[in-house]
């Protein structure tokens, strides 16, 4: 650890201790005036919505049709990280990055259907070590596939739950065992919990409300993982609550979709309806926290695993390096995060777990690759030195790698078409977008000679990030033709 890193960690510890002390009054003046005095640990609630585009949050000001008053209120109270990207834009790999602060090729889950490496520390394991309970409701997607114990079509056994060993009410691939108005999840004893004639979002919200209204003997970490607005796989589309899609028949089509064929023309009304249901659910749980006198000492996080491009960029909904796949909402409120603030620095889902451990005063494992976002809230030097670059790994649609900066996206791909390996030794330049001049990514600049110098610079940075992620330095071949 460098002297700069030691200084940053010391700053974080003192900042969060002061923030928690301010949010939770101590029993004596002496305790209030001592940053080292014990303070009540904040509860942590992570609300995870699957395939939720960042620009469908009303507070981000880009979509006149979206209805997210409760998410907007969360942003008005707390910190809105407006330029957050996923480091692997597909369900299971993204979740593995979120919970372990490691890249997907390090977690064992570099594509869907693989099991999380059980030796890795997770956000849940570290919080439990610090005296928290770790509780999970909803879609998991980090157990091994169907042919192995704990597979996606049955209960997830305890060893595959990533440290969530207290309340467990979930399913590995919830879209495979449920539909919007009926289905089955399983409890910690692998006993079925069935629902019928209730919308899936509301059912999972009921289960979360039930937990929050119970007396808690310890600080708790609750992870709520909704499927919506992700499509129902066997029907190939998102499905809104009954009657909701009709309210969005003339909804806004985001500009990155309008220029391309895809499924958005038919599916946007249902997608909007699902977004509305997620917002209503979040509002319900925020109200429960208020009623149970938990809100003042609960860190509440709203985020997603990836976005949705409605088959405009490839033959499915994500797995590309476009903003419609990569950019996700990240809003945090609670002790240490109170006060309206938009954070414009580029951050990744890999940074969320260390941020929450810092906020809880829990040591961050030295093996984690992400960085706490806490200094960005109040430290001008941290903002000035923030790298503003994220490493992206792509699997399944192709084997690819990308670097995302504030101004550029640079993507390389294995043109052999082999997607059976986590990485390739050689890639070709594939896509390059200027985020300042072309935020909707309509013009691919890869191969254009007037951008050769910038491409070379981004290529060198990408190689360094690959090595830092534990991969061999790859060969990257220049694009020879305009795509």
């Amino acid at each position: 650890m460098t002297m700069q890193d030691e200084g940053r960690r010391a700053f974080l510890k003192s900042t969060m201790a002061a923030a928690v002390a301010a949010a939770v009054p101590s029993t004596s003046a002496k305790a209030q005036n001592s940053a080292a005095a014990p303070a009540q640990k904040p509860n942590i609630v992570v609300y995870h919505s699957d395939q939720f585009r960042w620009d469908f949050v009303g507070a981000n000001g880009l979509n006149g049709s979206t209805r997210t008053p409760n998410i907007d209120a969360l942003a008005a109270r707390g910190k809105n990280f407006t330029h957050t990207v996923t480091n692997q834009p597909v369900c299971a790999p993204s979740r593995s990055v979120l919970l372990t602060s490691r890249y997907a090729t390090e977690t064992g889950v570099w594509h869907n259907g693989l099991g999380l490496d059980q030796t890795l520390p997770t956000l849940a394991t570290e919080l439990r070590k610090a005296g928290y309970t770790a509780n999970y409701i909803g879609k998991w997607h980090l157990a091994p596939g169907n042919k192995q114990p704990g597979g996606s079509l049955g209960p997830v056994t305890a060893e595959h739950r990533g440290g969530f060993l207290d309340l467990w009410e979930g399913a590995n691939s919830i879209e495979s065992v449920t539909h919007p108005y009926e289905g089955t999840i399983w409890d910690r004893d692998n006993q079925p919990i069935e629902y019928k004639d209730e919308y899936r979002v509301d059912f999972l919200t009921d289960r979360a409300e039930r937990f929050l209204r119970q007396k808690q003997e310890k600080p708790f970490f609750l992870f709520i993982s909704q499927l919506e607005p992700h499509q129902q796989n066997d029907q190939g589309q998102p499905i809104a609550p009954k009657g909701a899609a009709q309210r969005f028949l003339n909804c806004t089509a985001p500009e990155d979709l309008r220029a391309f064929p895809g499924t958005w023309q038919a599916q946007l009304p249902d997608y909007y309806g699902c977004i509305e249901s997620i917002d209503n659910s979040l509002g319900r749980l925020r109200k429960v926290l208020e009623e149970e006198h938990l809100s003042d000492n609960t860190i509440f996080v709203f985020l997603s695993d990836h976005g949705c491009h409605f088959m405009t960029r490839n033959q499915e909904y994500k797995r590309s390096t476009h903003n419609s796949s990569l950019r996700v909402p990240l809003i945090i409120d609670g002790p240490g995060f109170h006060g309206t603030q938009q954070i414009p620095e580029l951050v990744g889902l890999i940074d969320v777990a260390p941020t929450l451990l810092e906020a809880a005063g829990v040591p961050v494992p030295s093996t984690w690759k992400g960085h706490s976002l806490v200094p960005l809230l109040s430290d001008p030097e941290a903002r000035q030195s923030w790298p503003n670059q994220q490493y992206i790994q792509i699997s399944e649609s192709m084997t690819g790698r990308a670097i995302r900066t504030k101004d550029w996206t640079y993507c390389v791909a294995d043109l052999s078409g082999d997607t059976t390996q986590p990485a390739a030794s050689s890639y070709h330049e594939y896509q390059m977008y200027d985020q300042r001049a072309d935020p909707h990514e309509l013009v691919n600049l890869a191969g254009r000679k007037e951008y050769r110098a910038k491409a070379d610079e981004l290529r060198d940075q990408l190689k360094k990030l690959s090595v830092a992620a534990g991969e061999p330095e790859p060969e990257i071949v220049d694009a020879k033709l305009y795509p």
Side-chain angles (χ1 to χ4, degrees):
M1 181 181 295
T2 66
M3 293 183 63
Q4 182 179 8
D5 288 337
E6 291 176 347
R8 173 176 291 183
R9 189 170 295 280
F11 169 82
L12 291 171
K13 288 181 177 178
S14 63
T15 300
M16 293 314 305
V20 172
V24 185
S26 304
T27 56
S28 69
K30 182 178 180 181
Q32 288 177 341
N33 293 327
S34 174
Q40 182 180 351
K41 290 184 180 297
N43 304 309
I44 299 173
V45 174
V46 173
Y47 192 112
H48 187 285
S49 177
D50 196 325
Q51 205 161 281
F52 194 120
R53 287 174 57 115
W54 73 282
D55 55 346
F56 275 58
V57 171
N60 288 333
L62 295 172
N63 189 321
S65 292
T66 198
R67 298 177 187 172
T68 57
N70 295 296
I71 299 172
D72 298 346
L74 186 73
R77 282 176 50 100
K79 310 305 180 185
N80 184 3
F81 296 86
T82 58
H83 288 72
T84 303
V85 298
T86 180
N87 301 93
Q88 228 287 14
V90 66
C91 297
S94 174
R95 292 157 193 265
S96 75
V97 173
L98 172 65
L99 289 174
T100 67
S101 192
R102 300 285 291 270
Y103 291 100
T105 47
E106 301 175 298
T107 67
V109 189
W110 57 272
H111 69 71
N112 284 337
L114 300 177
L116 185 66
D117 184 344
Q118 298 175 42
T119 68
L120 294 178
T122 70
L123 183 55
T125 63
E126 299 312 292
L127 287 171
R128 286 189 99 245
K129 287 179 186 177
Y132 281 73
T133 63
N135 312 279
Y136 200 94
I137 295 173
K139 174 177 175 175
W140 178 236
H141 221 356
L142 292 175
N146 296 340
K147 296 181 181 180
Q148 303 179 52
S152 64
L153 296 183
V156 176
T157 53
E159 67 270 23
H160 293 300
R161 295 176 189 165
F164 288 95
L165 300 180
D166 297 291
L167 177 78
W168 175 272
E169 295 184 348
N172 194 42
S173 179
I174 202 168
E175 57 268 53
S176 300
V177 296
T178 69
H179 283 88
Y181 282 93
E182 56 85 21
T184 303
I185 61 174
W186 288 267
D187 67 16
R188 60 174 289 171
D189 298 320
N190 297 328
Q191 296 302 305
I193 304 171
E194 298 178 344
Y195 71 99
K196 191 173 184 180
D197 299 327
E198 182 179 22
Y199 191 57
R200 179 167 45 208
V201 170
D202 299 330
F203 164 69
L204 294 177
T205 307
D206 290 344
R207 306 306 297 183
E209 178 174 346
R210 180 172 175 265
F211 170 81
L212 292 173
R213 291 199 185 280
Q214 294 173 353
K215 182 175 175 57
Q216 306 294 331
E217 301 295 338
K218 297 179 179 181
F220 62 83
F221 170 35
L222 174 63
F223 196 111
I224 305 153
S225 179
Q226 298 278 8
L227 177 65
E228 276 66 27
H230 189 286
Q231 74 274 10
Q232 180 68 38
N233 284 0
D234 59 353
Q235 298 185 41
Q237 67 173 68
I239 302 175
K242 294 174 182 176
Q246 284 70 26
R247 294 197 293 274
F248 296 99
L249 290 177
N250 296 310
C251 57
T252 300
E255 290 188 40
D256 64 282
L257 303 180
R258 297 177 196 173
F260 300 103
T263 62
W264 57 270
Q265 296 91 338
Q267 295 184 6
L268 273 178
D270 274 283
Y271 189 84
Y272 274 101
C274 291
I275 295 287
E276 184 181 55
S277 73
I278 291 292
D279 183 77
N280 291 337
S281 165
L282 184 145
R284 277 183 58 190
L285 297 181
R286 296 284 288 175
K287 183 178 180 183
V288 171
L289 290 171
E290 291 283 349
E291 292 172 350
E292 296 298 321
H293 307 290
L294 295 169
S295 60
D296 287 345
N297 193 44
T298 297
I299 296 171
F300 195 102
V301 184
F302 174 71
L303 47 63
S304 184
D305 49 356
H306 51 76
C308 184
H309 61 66
F310 295 94
M311 296 190 177
T312 57
R313 304 293 187 165
N314 55 36
Q315 290 299 307
E316 60 109 86
Y317 292 84
K318 54 264 186 183
R319 296 183 178 96
S320 80
T321 54
H322 302 89
N323 286 328
S324 49
S325 284
L326 295 183
R327 291 188 68 176
V328 294
L330 175 60
I331 303 171
I332 309 178
D333 181 34
F337 299 93
H338 285 316
T340 306
Q341 187 178 5
Q342 290 194 346
I343 314 296
E345 281 74 23
L346 184 73
V347 305
L349 289 185
I350 200 168
D351 300 317
V352 172
T355 300
L356 295 178
L357 288 193
E358 293 282 3
V362 177
V364 176
S366 61
T367 56
W368 283 11
K369 298 291 179 68
H371 302 282
S372 173
L373 306 177
V374 173
L376 296 179
L377 308 184
S378 58
D379 181 2
E381 291 186 7
R383 292 196 291 268
Q384 186 69 27
S385 61
W386 192 257
N388 279 310
Q389 61 181 21
Q390 289 290 327
Y391 184 55
I392 314 297
Q393 297 176 325
I394 305 290
S395 64
E396 299 186 35
S397 64
M398 64 179 184
T399 300
R401 297 293 184 264
I403 179 174
R404 179 69 158 80
T405 73
K406 288 291 289 288
D407 296 335
W408 298 94
T409 299
Y410 174 83
C411 175
V412 299
D414 175 11
L415 298 186
S416 73
D418 181 10
T419 59
T420 63
Q421 300 299 319
S425 59
S426 178
Y427 298 95
H428 283 69
E429 291 180 330
Y430 179 53
Q431 292 163 331
M432 181 176 174
Y433 295 103
D434 183 341
Q435 296 295 333
R436 301 159 300 177
D438 183 23
H440 307 301
E441 299 164 321
L442 303 180
V443 180
N444 184 359
L445 302 175
R448 294 179 180 268
K449 63 181 181 180
E450 60 267 39
Y451 293 94
R452 184 69 261 159
K454 175 54 68 173
D456 289 343
E457 176 187 330
L458 292 167
R459 177 180 58 191
D460 291 344
Q461 293 175 14
L462 179 61
K463 287 183 176 182
K464 291 177 182 178
L465 291 175
S466 296
V467 173
E471 301 181 61
E473 181 177 306
E475 175 191 28
I476 298 177
V477 179
D478 292 357
K480 303 299 183 183
L481 301 172
Y482 294 167

